Amino acid sequence: MDTIFNFIGENISMIYLVILMVFVGIELIGHVPSVLHTPLMSGANAIHGVVLIGAIYVMGHAAEDDMFSLVVGFIGVIVGTLNVIGGFVVTDRMLEMFKKKPEKGAKS
Amino acid sequence: MKHVQEVLFLLGSLGFVVGLKMMGKPDSARKGNLVAAAGMLFAVLGIMFFKHGEEGIHVVNNVGLIAAAIGVGTLVGWLMAKRVQMTAMPEMVSLFNGMGGLCAALISLLEWKFKGDAIATMPAGEYLAIIAGLIIGTVSFVGSIVAWGKLSGKLGDFRFPGQQFINIIMLLAIAGTAWMNFSAAANGNMLYFYLVIILAAVYGLLFVFPIGGADMPVVISLLNSPICLW
């Protein structure tokens, strides 16, 4: 019991953040028209590519002669960037289709 | 000007929230996507060039290699996303999602390695962040790849009786192994660490095989990275 209380005490701001973020997430996604669900899912996917920040962070901590860490970090950054860039571009292409429905073949 | 990184991260988070909100309305949806992308750019710049450590603000180590990796990822991601057929969009999103999961798992792997002897004295919160990143990343990677295979028609459905029950058992097994790993790793025993990865991968398979393309818990992944930075 004591350990659990200590854990909560030590990480209290993180716990607040997680709980509040859950409500922000629900609030943001809650009242969206269903046509926008697919691009929103795709956009959220791109945003969760922020793990890229973590990848840059750990790779920035690797020693310059630590081959294993550099290789793993390198792959991590590539793959994270794929998620971010691919996600945003795909979302943009999806949303492009929503624009100016009446005019056929209109491109912005 | 000590806290450039913090300000950039704040702008980044703001960009994500505002961008997502704008994406919820048809008129502003496309702009919202760009706002979120701009937020991401702020965050990346912040971590790469304004790292706020003990010795003040500095550029992160291995910055050349990191920039090269970002370049490769940008080029490949851009081309893949531009060339994909509209009808093949869902599997593309799934594949990208899996890449994010792989990224999270690799981060945890590296963090774990960097901890080295400090594992024994690591606070529980930090351990939780690393091991959760590893499990969620692995499940999300394997699950997304399976979803990608199914959406593109390469893989079929696969069901067996009692699957739900086995899935719950698997989850408990993962949690148990992760728990045991905490004390085992302090004594230099890495067996449980690898076991966690294998179990999470198997769970990813079992979880997605019987259903259609499932979206992984995006919010958890989103939270995963600030925990790593904590």
Side-chain angles (χ1 to χ4, degrees):
Chain A
M1 201 62 182
D2 226 27
T3 25
I4 297 174
F5 274 59
N6 279 341
F7 176 79
I8 293 175
E10 281 161 20
N11 300 287
I12 191 69
S13 55
M14 205 65 208
I15 293 168
Y16 273 123
L17 187 65
V18 171
I19 293 170
L20 289 175
M21 276 299 145
V22 169
F23 284 107
V24 170
I26 294 170
E27 175 59 31
L28 283 176
I29 309 291
H31 317 283
V32 170
S34 58
V35 275
L36 281 171
H37 279 175
T38 310
L40 197 68
M41 180 195 76
S42 177
N45 167 47
I47 288 174
H48 100 240
V50 271
V51 282
L52 171 62
I53 303 300
I56 295 174
Y57 176 82
V58 286
M59 196 184 170
H61 270 247
E64 266 154 49
D65 52 354
D66 184 357
M67 272 319 276
F68 173 79
S69 300
L70 285 183
V71 170
V72 173
F74 195 75
I75 298 171
V77 176
I78 290 184
V79 159
T81 316
L82 265 182
N83 189 183
V84 171
I85 300 289
F88 281 126
V89 173
V90 160
T91 311
D92 192 58
R93 279 188 59 192
M94 282 180 193
L95 291 169
E96 197 179 350
M97 298 195 304
F98 284 91
K99 235 185 163 188
K100 293 174 193 158
K101 267 257 170 80
E103 307 163 41
K104 267 183 189 164
K107 255 195 166 179
S108 61
Chain B
M1 293 291 279
K2 240 173 76 186
H3 297 284
V4 183
Q5 186 191 30
E6 283 83 347
V7 173
L8 284 174
F9 277 10
L10 190 64
L11 285 174
S13 317
L14 214 62
F16 293 156
V17 174
V18 173
L20 265 181
K21 182 81 208 164
M22 288 169 74
M23 251 187 262
K25 293 206 183 70
D27 301 339
S28 59
R30 209 174 172 198
K31 231 179 247 169
N33 187 45
L34 291 179
V35 170
M40 187 68 77
L41 183 68
F42 283 132
V44 170
L45 289 177
I47 188 75
M48 267 182 90
F49 299 110
F50 301 100
K51 193 165 156 6
H52 182 189
E54 281 143 30
E55 60 275 43
I57 293 174
H58 58 94
V59 173
V60 92
N61 283 350
N62 309 312
V63 74
L65 271 177
I66 293 172
I70 292 178
V72 173
T74 305
L75 191 71
V76 176
W78 192 285
L79 288 178
M80 280 168 85
K82 277 283 181 198
R83 291 211 175 146
V84 65
Q85 297 282 318
M86 270 305 172
T87 48
M89 257 345 174
E91 55 251 49
M92 201 79 231
V93 174
S94 186
L95 184 66
F96 287 140
N97 191 42
M99 294 297 111
L102 179 61
C103 182
L106 292 177
I107 292 168
S108 291
L109 195 66
L110 276 188
E111 287 243 15
W112 187 254
K113 181 174 177 293
F114 289 163
K115 282 293 161 205
D117 297 336
I119 285 172
T121 54
M122 184 161 40
E126 217 177 318
Y127 175 71
L128 202 65
I130 294 182
I131 207 75
L134 185 76
I135 295 168
I136 294 166
T138 310
V139 171
S140 154
F141 170 56
V142 176
S144 300
I145 295 301
V146 173
W148 170 67
K150 292 178 79 161
L151 285 168
S152 55
K154 291 190 183 76
L155 294 170
D157 282 7
F158 172 73
R159 278 171 228 258
F160 54 86
Q163 194 148 15
Q164 294 293 340
F165 180 69
I166 290 174
N167 278 355
I168 293 169
I169 297 284
M170 282 296 294
L171 268 183
L172 291 175
I174 292 173
T177 319
W179 180 262
M180 291 202 279
N181 177 48
F182 192 36
S183 47
N187 302 320
N189 183 354
M190 288 292 281
L191 176 72
Y192 288 106
F193 186 76
Y194 297 125
L195 207 57
V196 169
I197 302 180
I198 294 168
L199 284 175
V202 174
Y203 179 72
L205 284 176
L206 290 177
F207 176 59
V208 183
F209 255 119
I211 46 173
D215 194 36
M216 298 303 136
V218 170
V219 184
I220 300 174
S221 299
L222 180 90
L223 288 165
N224 181 25
S225 86
I227 294 172
C228 288
L229 294 171
W230 205 245

Coordinates of all heavy atoms in Angstrom, one line a residue, chain A residues 21-71:
Chain A
M21 N -5.4 14.9 -20.1 CA -5.2 14.7 -21.5 C -6.3 13.7 -22.0 O -6.7 13.9 -23.2 CB -3.8 14.1 -21.8 CG -2.8 15.2 -21.9 SD -3.1 16.3 -23.2 CE -2.5 17.8 -22.5
V22 N -6.7 12.8 -21.2 CA -7.7 11.9 -21.6 C -9.0 12.7 -21.9 O -9.6 12.5 -22.9 CB -8.0 10.8 -20.5 CG1 -9.3 10.0 -20.8 CG2 -6.8 9.8 -20.4
F23 N -9.3 13.6 -21.0 CA -10.5 14.4 -21.2 C -10.3 15.4 -22.5 O -11.3 15.6 -23.2 CB -10.8 15.3 -20.0 CG -11.4 14.4 -18.9 CD1 -10.7 14.1 -17.8 CD2 -12.7 13.9 -19.1 CE1 -11.3 13.3 -16.8 CE2 -13.3 13.1 -18.1 CZ -12.6 12.8 -17.0
V24 N -9.1 15.9 -22.6 CA -8.9 16.7 -23.8 C -9.1 15.9 -25.1 O -9.8 16.3 -26.0 CB -7.5 17.3 -23.8 CG1 -7.2 18.0 -25.2 CG2 -7.3 18.3 -22.7
G25 N -8.6 14.7 -25.1 CA -8.7 13.8 -26.2 C -10.2 13.5 -26.5 O -10.7 13.6 -27.7
I26 N -11.0 13.2 -25.5 CA -12.4 12.9 -25.7 C -13.1 14.1 -26.2 O -13.9 14.1 -27.1 CB -13.0 12.4 -24.3 CG1 -12.4 11.1 -23.9 CG2 -14.5 12.3 -24.5 CD1 -12.8 10.6 -22.5
E27 N -12.8 15.3 -25.6 CA -13.4 16.5 -26.0 C -13.1 16.9 -27.5 O -14.0 17.3 -28.2 CB -12.9 17.7 -25.1 CG -13.4 19.0 -25.4 CD -14.9 19.2 -25.4 OE1 -15.5 18.4 -24.6 OE2 -15.4 20.0 -26.1
L28 N -11.9 16.7 -27.9 CA -11.5 17.0 -29.2 C -12.2 16.1 -30.3 O -12.5 16.5 -31.3 CB -10.0 16.9 -29.4 CG -9.1 18.0 -28.8 CD1 -7.7 17.7 -28.9 CD2 -9.4 19.3 -29.5
I29 N -12.3 14.8 -29.9 CA -12.7 13.8 -30.9 C -14.2 13.6 -30.8 O -14.8 13.2 -31.8 CB -12.0 12.5 -30.7 CG1 -10.5 12.7 -30.6 CG2 -12.3 11.5 -31.7 CD1 -9.8 13.1 -31.8
G30 N -14.8 14.0 -29.7 CA -16.2 13.6 -29.4 C -17.2 14.0 -30.4 O -18.1 13.2 -30.8
H31 N -17.2 15.3 -30.9 CA -18.3 15.8 -31.7 C -18.0 16.0 -33.1 O -18.3 17.0 -33.7 CB -18.9 17.1 -31.1 CG -19.0 17.0 -29.6 ND1 -20.0 16.4 -28.9 CD2 -18.2 17.5 -28.6 CE1 -19.8 16.5 -27.6 NE2 -18.7 17.2 -27.4
V32 N -17.2 15.1 -33.7 CA -16.8 15.2 -35.0 C -17.7 14.5 -36.0 O -18.1 13.4 -35.7 CB -15.4 14.7 -35.2 CG1 -14.9 14.6 -36.6 CG2 -14.4 15.5 -34.4
P33 N -18.1 15.2 -37.1 CA -19.0 14.5 -38.1 C -18.3 13.3 -38.6 O -17.1 13.2 -38.8 CB -19.2 15.6 -39.2 CG -18.1 16.6 -39.0 CD -17.8 16.6 -37.5
S34 N -19.1 12.2 -38.9 CA -18.5 10.9 -39.2 C -17.7 10.9 -40.5 O -16.8 10.1 -40.7 CB -19.6 9.8 -39.2 OG -20.6 10.2 -40.2
V35 N -18.0 11.9 -41.4 CA -17.2 11.9 -42.7 C -15.8 12.2 -42.4 O -14.9 11.8 -43.1 CB -17.7 12.9 -43.7 CG1 -18.8 12.4 -44.5 CG2 -18.1 14.2 -43.0
L36 N -15.5 12.9 -41.2 CA -14.2 13.3 -40.9 C -13.4 12.3 -40.1 O -12.3 12.5 -39.7 CB -14.2 14.7 -40.2 CG -14.3 15.9 -41.2 CD1 -14.6 17.1 -40.4 CD2 -13.1 16.0 -42.1
H37 N -14.1 11.2 -39.7 CA -13.4 10.2 -38.9 C -12.2 9.6 -39.4 O -11.2 9.5 -38.7 CB -14.4 9.1 -38.5 CG -15.4 9.5 -37.4 ND1 -16.4 8.6 -37.0 CD2 -15.5 10.6 -36.7 CE1 -17.1 9.3 -36.0 NE2 -16.5 10.4 -35.8
T38 N -12.2 9.3 -40.7 CA -11.0 8.6 -41.3 C -9.8 9.6 -41.3 O -8.7 9.2 -40.9 CB -11.3 8.1 -42.7 OG1 -12.5 7.3 -42.6 CG2 -10.2 7.3 -43.2
P39 N -10.0 10.8 -41.9 CA -8.8 11.7 -41.8 C -8.4 12.1 -40.4 O -7.2 12.2 -40.2 CB -9.3 13.0 -42.5 CG -10.7 12.9 -42.8 CD -11.1 11.4 -42.7
L40 N -9.3 12.1 -39.5 CA -9.0 12.4 -38.1 C -8.1 11.3 -37.5 O -7.1 11.6 -36.8 CB -10.2 12.6 -37.3 CG -10.0 13.4 -35.9 CD1 -9.6 14.8 -36.2 CD2 -11.2 13.3 -35.1
M41 N -8.5 10.1 -37.8 CA -7.7 8.9 -37.3 C -6.3 9.0 -37.9 O -5.3 8.8 -37.2 CB -8.4 7.6 -37.8 CG -7.7 6.4 -37.3 SD -8.2 4.9 -38.2 CE -7.5 5.1 -39.8
S42 N -6.3 9.3 -39.2 CA -5.0 9.4 -39.9 C -4.1 10.6 -39.3 O -2.9 10.4 -39.1 CB -5.2 9.6 -41.4 OG -4.0 9.8 -42.1
G43 N -4.8 11.7 -39.0 CA -4.1 12.8 -38.5 C -3.6 12.5 -37.1 O -2.4 12.8 -36.7
A44 N -4.4 11.9 -36.3 CA -4.0 11.5 -34.9 C -2.8 10.5 -35.0 O -1.9 10.6 -34.2 CB -5.1 10.9 -34.2
N45 N -2.8 9.7 -36.0 CA -1.7 8.7 -36.2 C -0.4 9.5 -36.5 O 0.6 9.2 -35.9 CB -2.1 7.8 -37.4 CG -0.9 7.0 -37.9 OD1 -0.2 6.4 -37.1 ND2 -0.7 7.0 -39.2
A46 N -0.5 10.5 -37.3 CA 0.6 11.3 -37.6 C 1.2 12.0 -36.4 O 2.4 12.1 -36.1 CB 0.3 12.4 -38.7
I47 N 0.2 12.5 -35.6 CA 0.6 13.2 -34.3 C 1.3 12.3 -33.4 O 2.3 12.6 -32.7 CB -0.6 13.9 -33.7 CG1 -1.0 15.1 -34.6 CG2 -0.3 14.4 -32.3 CD1 -2.3 15.8 -34.1
H48 N 0.8 11.0 -33.3 CA 1.4 10.2 -32.3 C 2.8 9.8 -32.8 O 3.6 9.2 -32.0 CB 0.5 9.0 -31.9 CG 0.8 7.7 -32.6 ND1 -0.1 7.0 -33.4 CD2 1.9 6.9 -32.6 CE1 0.5 5.9 -33.8 NE2 1.7 5.8 -33.3
G49 N 3.2 10.2 -34.0 CA 4.6 10.1 -34.4 C 5.5 11.0 -33.6 O 6.7 10.9 -33.8
V50 N 5.0 11.7 -32.6 CA 5.9 12.5 -31.7 C 6.9 11.6 -31.0 O 7.9 12.1 -30.5 CB 5.2 13.2 -30.6 CG1 4.8 14.6 -31.0 CG2 4.1 12.5 -30.0
V51 N 6.7 10.2 -31.1 CA 7.7 9.4 -30.5 C 9.1 9.7 -31.2 O 10.1 9.4 -30.6 CB 7.4 7.9 -30.7 CG1 6.4 7.4 -29.6 CG2 6.9 7.5 -32.1
L52 N 9.0 10.3 -32.4 CA 10.2 10.7 -33.0 C 11.1 11.5 -32.1 O 12.3 11.4 -32.1 CB 9.8 11.5 -34.3 CG 10.9 12.2 -35.1 CD1 12.0 11.2 -35.6 CD2 10.4 13.0 -36.2
I53 N 10.4 12.4 -31.3 CA 11.2 13.3 -30.4 C 12.0 12.4 -29.4 O 13.2 12.6 -29.2 CB 10.2 14.1 -29.6 CG1 9.4 15.0 -30.5 CG2 11.0 15.0 -28.6 CD1 10.1 15.9 -31.4
G54 N 11.3 11.3 -28.9 CA 12.0 10.4 -28.0 C 13.2 9.7 -28.7 O 14.3 9.5 -28.2
A55 N 13.0 9.4 -30.0 CA 14.1 8.7 -30.8 C 15.3 9.6 -30.9 O 16.4 9.2 -30.8 CB 13.5 8.2 -32.1
I56 N 15.0 10.9 -31.3 CA 16.1 11.8 -31.4 C 16.8 12.0 -30.1 O 18.0 12.1 -30.0 CB 15.5 13.2 -31.9 CG1 15.0 13.0 -33.3 CG2 16.7 14.2 -32.0 CD1 14.3 14.3 -33.9
Y57 N 16.0 12.1 -29.0 CA 16.5 12.3 -27.7 C 17.5 11.1 -27.3 O 18.6 11.4 -26.9 CB 15.4 12.3 -26.7 CG 15.8 12.5 -25.3 CD1 16.2 13.7 -24.7 CD2 15.8 11.3 -24.4 CE1 16.6 13.8 -23.4 CE2 16.2 11.4 -23.1 CZ 16.6 12.7 -22.6 OH 16.9 12.8 -21.3
V58 N 17.1 9.9 -27.5 CA 17.9 8.8 -27.1 C 19.1 8.7 -28.0 O 20.3 8.4 -27.6 CB 17.2 7.4 -27.0 CG1 16.4 7.3 -25.8 CG2 16.5 7.1 -28.2
M59 N 18.9 8.9 -29.3 CA 20.1 8.8 -30.2 C 21.1 9.9 -29.9 O 22.3 9.8 -30.0 CB 19.6 8.9 -31.6 CG 20.7 8.4 -32.6 SD 20.2 8.6 -34.3 CE 21.8 8.2 -35.1
G60 N 20.6 11.1 -29.5 CA 21.4 12.2 -29.1 C 22.2 11.9 -27.8 O 23.1 12.6 -27.5
H61 N 21.9 10.8 -27.1 CA 22.6 10.4 -25.9 C 23.6 9.3 -26.2 O 24.4 9.0 -25.3 CB 21.6 9.9 -24.9 CG 21.1 11.1 -24.0 ND1 21.4 11.1 -22.7 CD2 20.4 12.1 -24.3 CE1 20.9 12.2 -22.2 NE2 20.2 12.9 -23.1
A62 N 23.5 8.7 -27.4 CA 24.4 7.6 -27.7 C 25.9 8.1 -27.9 O 26.1 9.2 -28.4 CB 24.0 6.9 -28.9
A63 N 26.8 7.4 -27.4 CA 28.2 7.7 -27.6 C 28.6 7.5 -29.0 O 27.9 6.7 -29.7 CB 29.1 6.9 -26.7
E64 N 29.6 8.3 -29.5 CA 29.8 8.3 -31.0 C 30.4 7.0 -31.5 O 30.5 6.7 -32.7 CB 30.7 9.5 -31.3 CG 29.9 10.6 -31.8 CD 30.6 12.0 -31.6 OE1 31.8 12.0 -32.0 OE2 30.0 12.9 -31.0
D65 N 30.9 6.1 -30.5 CA 31.5 4.9 -31.0 C 30.7 3.7 -30.6 O 31.1 2.5 -30.7 CB 32.9 4.7 -30.4 CG 32.9 4.9 -28.9 OD1 31.9 5.3 -28.3 OD2 34.0 4.7 -28.2
D66 N 29.5 4.0 -30.1 CA 28.5 2.9 -29.7 C 27.7 2.5 -30.9 O 26.6 3.0 -31.1 CB 27.7 3.5 -28.6 CG 26.8 2.4 -28.0 OD1 26.8 1.3 -28.5 OD2 26.1 2.7 -27.0
M67 N 28.3 1.6 -31.7 CA 27.6 1.2 -33.0 C 26.2 0.7 -32.8 O 25.3 1.1 -33.5 CB 28.5 0.2 -33.7 CG 29.5 0.7 -34.6 SD 29.0 2.2 -35.5 CE 28.2 1.4 -36.9
F68 N 26.0 -0.2 -31.8 CA 24.7 -0.8 -31.6 C 23.6 0.3 -31.4 O 22.6 0.3 -32.1 CB 24.7 -1.8 -30.5 CG 23.3 -2.3 -30.1 CD1 22.8 -3.3 -30.9 CD2 22.6 -1.8 -29.0 CE1 21.5 -3.8 -30.5 CE2 21.4 -2.3 -28.7 CZ 20.8 -3.3 -29.5
S69 N 23.9 1.2 -30.5 CA 22.9 2.2 -30.2 C 22.7 3.2 -31.4 O 21.6 3.6 -31.6 CB 23.4 3.1 -29.0 OG 23.6 2.3 -27.9
L70 N 23.8 3.4 -32.1 CA 23.6 4.3 -33.3 C 22.8 3.7 -34.3 O 21.9 4.4 -34.9 CB 25.0 4.7 -33.8 CG 25.8 5.7 -33.0 CD1 27.1 6.0 -33.7 CD2 25.0 7.0 -32.8
V71 N 23.0 2.4 -34.6 CA 22.2 1.7 -35.6 C 20.8 1.6 -35.2 O 19.9 2.0 -36.0 CB 22.8 0.3 -35.9 CG1 21.8 -0.5 -36.8 CG2 24.2 0.4 -36.5

